[in-house]
Amino acid sequence: MPEGDTIFRAAARMHQALAGKTVSEFRTALAQLSSVDQNTPLAGRRIERVFSAGKHLLIEFSGELFLRTHMRMNGSWHLYRPGESWRRRRDEMRLVIATEEFIAVGFSIPVAEFLTRRQLSRQPDLQKIGPDLLADVFDRDDAVARIRARGELEIADALLNQRLVAGIGNVYKSEILFSTGVSPFAPVSSLEDSQLVRILDESRRLLRANVGESAPRERATTGRLDPRYQLWVYGRGGKPCLRCGKGVERARQGPDARSTYWCPSCQPEPSKVR
């Protein structure tokens, strides 16, 4: 599943290419979008901006019309020049938004809807998402309170819950908890507020470090240039920990059995802390 930094970067690239341009063509394989376009055509509208909200990517058009998309596991947006070959199969196309200079193609996008400004302000999924770690203003106190209210959750599962805090995916979940020395299996109720603050501050630092102009091409958390060592633990099950040399472990965790990577030596479980 694309993580918050992936969606943020995609939105930034699309905004740079499309904002201020007029839609010359719109095509979709999604019936719910096609029916709206027949009544209020997208072609001829100006693209005002492209932005992200957690893992949602939104495009604002003139006339106060918005397109909300969510990638889930396999969706993605690509930008092409007219006539350029697509990098995914045409039968995976769900949306095409063309201007004179660029063509934005949404592949395998399962969630997409047109919304008015009023509908956008009331959209249930957007209303329920927690503070966005990549937003210019991040309400850390609200995020701490939301996580604290789910004391029964293991912290790794809490970080993936977009209603508590928005933007963290499976890779960052493992990397953040390693970086802060917290076991992914620690119940939220076992953690101090100071630990939750440290986790959130590190989450924001790592995500923002991977979306700026100086961000590495590949997601990195260690600060190392060698692509083999750009992540502390994710994908390193059975390999030596980059910090202590002990073996990194991997387990399935949570209701969706997502992969979690951790170093038992650097991230001891609360009952094993001496």
Side-chain angles (χ1 to χ4, degrees):
M1 177 183 291
E3 306 204 21
D5 62 333
T6 303
I7 303 301
F8 186 96
R9 282 189 302 228
R13 287 194 300 269
M14 291 174 66
H15 179 82
Q16 184 176 21
L18 303 176
K21 305 298 192 300
T22 299
V23 178
S24 58
E25 180 187 10
F26 173 72
R27 287 185 283 136
T28 181
L30 301 173
Q32 72 271 22
L33 299 186
S34 179
S35 61
V36 172
D37 184 61
Q38 289 174 6
N39 295 323
T40 56
L42 205 63
R45 292 177 185 261
R46 185 177 64 253
I47 299 171
E48 303 289 359
R49 60 175 174 147
V50 184
F51 61 102
S52 64
K55 295 185 179 183
H56 303 259
L57 187 146
L58 299 106
I59 306 174
E60 179 182 358
F61 302 93
S62 58
E64 298 194 337
L65 183 67
F66 295 80
L67 173 64
R68 179 183 75 92
T69 60
H70 196 294
M71 307 304 109
R72 295 286 170 86
M73 293 299 294
N74 299 311
S76 63
W77 278 101
H78 290 193
L79 277 173
Y80 300 102
R81 292 286 188 178
E84 186 178 359
S85 297
W86 293 0
R87 296 187 300 276
R88 291 184 63 170
R89 299 197 317 269
R90 288 189 171 267
D91 62 1
E92 294 179 322
M93 182 276 286
R94 299 295 179 268
L95 294 149
V96 172
I97 300 172
T99 67
E100 287 188 5
E101 297 178 350
F102 287 97
I103 300 173
V105 186
F107 293 100
S108 300
I109 294 176
V111 178
E113 63 176 345
F114 283 124
L115 300 167
T116 64
R117 186 176 297 279
R118 183 179 181 185
Q119 290 170 332
L120 182 73
S121 68
R122 300 179 177 182
Q123 207 286 325
D125 292 327
L126 294 174
Q127 285 290 304
K128 292 174 183 176
I129 63 175
D132 188 343
L133 286 157
L134 283 168
D136 291 338
V137 178
F138 173 67
D139 191 339
R140 188 176 66 184
D141 291 341
D142 184 21
V144 168
R146 288 172 182 245
I147 294 173
R148 173 63 66 207
R150 297 298 305 272
E152 80 285 359
L153 291 179
E154 293 178 338
I155 184 60
D157 289 333
L159 293 182
L160 290 179
N161 188 328
Q162 302 299 297
R163 297 186 179 188
L164 306 184
V165 61
I168 297 174
N170 212 43
V171 176
Y172 278 112
K173 170 196 77 177
S174 293
E175 294 295 294
I176 291 161
L177 293 174
F178 174 84
S179 184
T180 54
V182 176
S183 168
F185 307 102
V188 168
S189 60
S190 73
L191 301 175
E192 302 290 338
D193 280 357
S194 60
Q195 290 177 288
L196 296 180
V197 166
R198 185 156 51 92
I199 289 169
L200 290 170
D201 286 350
E202 183 67 357
S203 301
R204 186 161 164 82
R205 183 188 74 81
L206 288 178
L207 264 71
R208 290 177 72 87
N210 279 276
V211 300
E213 291 184 2
S214 60
R217 290 181 60 86
E218 299 293 333
R219 183 181 292 130
T221 58
T222 64
R224 303 188 186 188
L225 298 177
D226 189 327
R228 296 174 297 173
Y229 306 114
Q230 287 185 312
L231 297 177
W232 287 111
V233 290
Y234 190 86
R236 294 184 55 81
K239 296 179 180 179
C241 172
L242 295 178
R243 183 171 288 164
C244 73
K246 301 287 182 66
V248 172
E249 296 192 15
R250 171 184 176 271
R252 297 286 186 179
Q253 185 179 14
D256 297 323
R258 306 290 296 278
S259 291
T260 293
Y261 295 86
W262 81 105
C263 172
S265 177
C266 296
Q267 301 167 263
E269 294 184 45
S271 60
K272 298 179 182 179
V273 175
R274 298 179 181 177

